[in-house]
Each structure stands twice: as C-alpha cells, then as structure tokens.
Amino acid sequence: MNLLSIDDLDREAIERITDHAARFAEVSDREIKKVPTLRGRMVLNLFYEASTRTRGSFELAAKRLSADVVNFAADGSSVEKGESLKDTVLTLNANKPDAIVVRAPWVGTAELVSGWTDAAVINAGDGKHEHPTQALLDVYTLKRRLGKLDGLGIWIVGDVAHSRVARSNIVAFQRMGAHVTVCGPPTLIPRGIEALGCDVRFTLDEVAGADVVYALRMQHERMADAPVPSLREYAACYQINERRLTARQILMHPGPVNRGVELSGGIVDSPQALITAQVQAGLVVRMAVLYTLLSGPRAQAPLPEPQLA
Ligand code: NCD
C-alpha cells in the first residue's frame, strides 16, 4: 500500500488516519513517547529537495514507532557522481526498507519509485504536484480546533500555481465537507483549477467571508520567470496581515513562511495562527500514516492503549 496522492484516500480513510493521529498525540504527551508498534521495520527517507518540517517529522515519527530510520539526502551522496534516481533507489532498496518516504523536485517521482520497490512509498512532495501528508495534517489540525470541516469556507491564498500543498489540500478539504476558494494574481492561479471543484478569486475583497485563510509561500524555486512585478507589489495586494484578517478567522500556512511577503510578521505570531499546531500535527499524522501503511491487514499491530491518568 502506498500514499502517492490524496486521491488515494476517501473521506473514511482520511478520518481513520486522523483518528489514529489523535491516539498518537496522546502518546506524545506521555513521559515515554515511544511505542513498539513498528519495531524491526525500516523506514528510508529519500530527500532530493530542501525540507525542515517534513523530513524531520517523518524521521521522528518512525523513531517514535520504534522503526529503524535511514536518511538519504542527495547532497553528499553518489547522486553527485551522476547516479540516477532509479539506480539510487535500487541500491538503497537492497537493504529492504519497509517504507520509502520520497521528496523530489520532479512531478511523478513517488509513483516512479513505487514501480521499483515492494516497500510502501509515501509521497512527501513531488515538484508542484502533490503533498498528501501535508493535506492530512492540515485536516487533522482543523478537526482538532473546530471539530469538523463540514460547511467551512477555506481560502487558499497565494502562489497556487507552483504549490503541491494547494493541489492536495483543495481535494482533502473538499472531501471533508469544506468549501474551498483559491485566490491570487491571475499569473499564479492555474487555468482550469475550478475543475477541482473550488472557486477562484483574483482579489482579497471577499476574504472576510472565509472561516480559514490558508496562505502559501512564493515558490521561487519552481518559477521560470517572474509572475509578479515585485514582492512588494504582491504583498500590497495579497499579504495576509492584521488589516485583512478579522478576529474570528483562523490563519494557516504550511511553512516555511517568508515574513513580510505572504504574511505580515505580526500575524505569524498571533493567536489566530495555527502554524505551530500544524507542525505538531505533522508528527502524529505521519506516525498514523506509517502505522496505516506498515501494519497492514496481515499483521495489524495494536494501536497504543490510551493511558489512564
Ligand atoms: C511545503 C512544501 O515543501 O511543499 N512545505 C512543507 O512541506 N511544509 C511548502 C513550501 O515549501 O512552501
């Protein structure tokens, strides 16, 4: 079983993962934060692209479940000597990992990798395509805060065109009953995105109607040419700041934040921002994903029992 796209999961499967994550959150509050659930299993982190949150939380998630972890970063590896993705995967696969977590700048990488291994493959971001575990942790974060997503109005604001987070989150939020609007300059909103079921706005004029504002980073690393005249001009029209966010609204961002561009510095640290909660959710949701994929129907390892206080 793999997790390549959020489309692999129906609403029930998403609910199951977020329910498991809640159980693991309870474990994370204990003095001993480790459970033996995946003892003897091996998780390989294969990262061809920068990552702080995703790689760190997958590593910690695997360790909290007692799995062995091997971290591979393209820097300092034989990739620098010209080894291809396929040869790299086949080499690392020789040690029989049970799961491969892969991030790469190329669309479709995780799917390709899944053709070369029997391990469960988890897409931790493939170019501008998908980032399903980000979508799951964002659903989990909102469920924890608000109970459910049904009926929520969620605005995703910024560089939608280059955002794998946007692509996975539009699908996941809607599957959980929310109504999604994407907003940004026309050059950063992909043509035809309405086909995913969301609305499109090119100004923030109606953002006050949103329950949740989800801001995105300008993904310069994926831009061939400049889609906006300047970051200052972008910020003037689309920055989420104290003036634009009303007190009842919730603010989210996948990180890393460019303070002063998509978000004002102050709003990042405001109590309305769930950014830290999103990072915390990353750990327990990734534990739940590893648990779901690796303890499969054949050998369903027991979930940790809730501990009586
Ligand atoms: C995102 C990513 O890499 O897709 N970061 C993350 O995983 N939290 C978003 C981004 O880089 O802007």
Side-chain angles (χ1 to χ4, degrees):
M1 200 157 88
N2 301 316
L3 178 56
L4 304 178
S5 158
I6 197 69
D7 248 339
D8 295 346
L9 304 174
D10 57 15
R11 179 171 179 152
E12 210 185 319
I14 294 175
E15 301 269 15
R16 216 169 21 240
I17 289 172
T18 54
D19 287 350
H20 288 344
R23 297 281 285 276
F24 288 123
E26 193 267 330
V27 173
S28 296
D29 288 337
R30 293 182 193 167
E31 201 176 320
I32 310 267
K33 298 176 172 55
K34 205 161 165 154
V35 287
T37 316
L38 295 183
R39 192 164 45 202
R41 304 301 195 94
M42 173 185 161
V43 176
L44 171 66
N45 277 329
L46 186 60
F47 277 66
Y48 278 87
E49 219 186 59
S51 177
T52 302
R53 281 149 280 268
T54 307
R55 199 178 72 82
S57 64
F58 265 115
E59 178 174 358
L60 187 56
K63 287 180 170 165
R64 289 272 171 94
L65 294 168
S66 303
D68 294 320
V69 186
V70 174
N71 288 316
F72 170 92
D75 287 353
S77 73
S78 293
V79 169
E80 289 177 352
K81 299 179 186 166
E83 193 162 40
S84 70
L85 175 69
K86 183 170 184 180
D87 287 334
T88 306
V89 170
L90 293 180
T91 301
L92 297 168
N93 198 49
N95 291 329
K96 301 204 183 336
D98 297 285
I100 300 181
V101 180
V102 59
R103 166 172 287 193
W106 316 292
V107 170
T109 302
E111 195 173 346
L112 261 181
V113 170
S114 71
W116 301 326
T117 176
D118 290 333
V121 176
I122 302 171
N123 184 1
D126 61 329
K128 61 181 183 182
H129 181 224
E130 280 242 28
H131 194 355
T133 59
Q134 180 72 41
L136 290 170
L137 74 88
D138 288 329
V139 166
Y140 173 85
T141 304
L142 282 172
K143 277 185 75 177
R144 290 286 270 207
R145 173 57 81 101
L146 302 171
K148 58 183 169 59
L149 278 71
D150 293 286
L152 277 187
I154 305 181
W155 276 49
I156 300 180
V157 179
D159 179 6
V160 176
H162 302 95
S163 174
R164 53 196 175 206
V165 174
R167 243 164 291 272
S168 292
N169 282 25
I170 291 168
V171 173
F173 288 158
Q174 294 183 136
R175 207 154 277 180
M176 299 305 291
H179 184 89
V180 177
T181 301
V182 298
C183 175
T187 46
L188 291 176
I189 302 292
R191 209 170 306 160
I193 189 112
E194 302 89 336
L196 292 179
C198 54
D199 281 337
V200 175
R201 294 287 183 276
F202 298 119
T203 71
L204 286 174
D205 293 350
E206 299 164 53
V207 75
D211 301 295
V212 178
V213 179
Y214 194 107
L216 298 170
R217 183 177 65 86
M218 263 316 178
Q219 326 255 312
H220 299 286
E221 69 276 24
R222 297 193 195 103
M223 292 176 189
D225 35 41
V228 291
S230 74
L231 287 183
R232 183 127 63 97
E233 211 150 329
Y234 172 82
C237 297
Y238 297 100
Q239 184 186 82
I240 307 300
N241 53 32
E242 291 78 351
R243 200 163 41 82
R244 292 191 170 128
L245 200 73
T246 61
R248 66 162 202 96
Q249 290 177 302
I250 282 176
L251 174 67
M252 299 176 81
H253 190 297
V257 172
N258 287 156
R259 285 184 190 240
V261 183
E262 69 271 18
L263 298 180
S264 67
I267 210 85
V268 176
D269 305 317
S270 74
Q272 285 164 269
L274 295 190
I275 300 171
T276 307
Q278 288 172 269
V279 175
Q280 287 165 346
L283 172 62
V284 292
V285 165
R286 287 172 177 128
M287 287 172 80
V289 167
L290 287 170
Y291 168 79
T292 303
L293 295 183
L294 292 189
S295 60
R298 273 172 295 128
Q300 189 83 25
L303 271 168
E305 286 301 321
Q307 226 176 31
L308 298 176

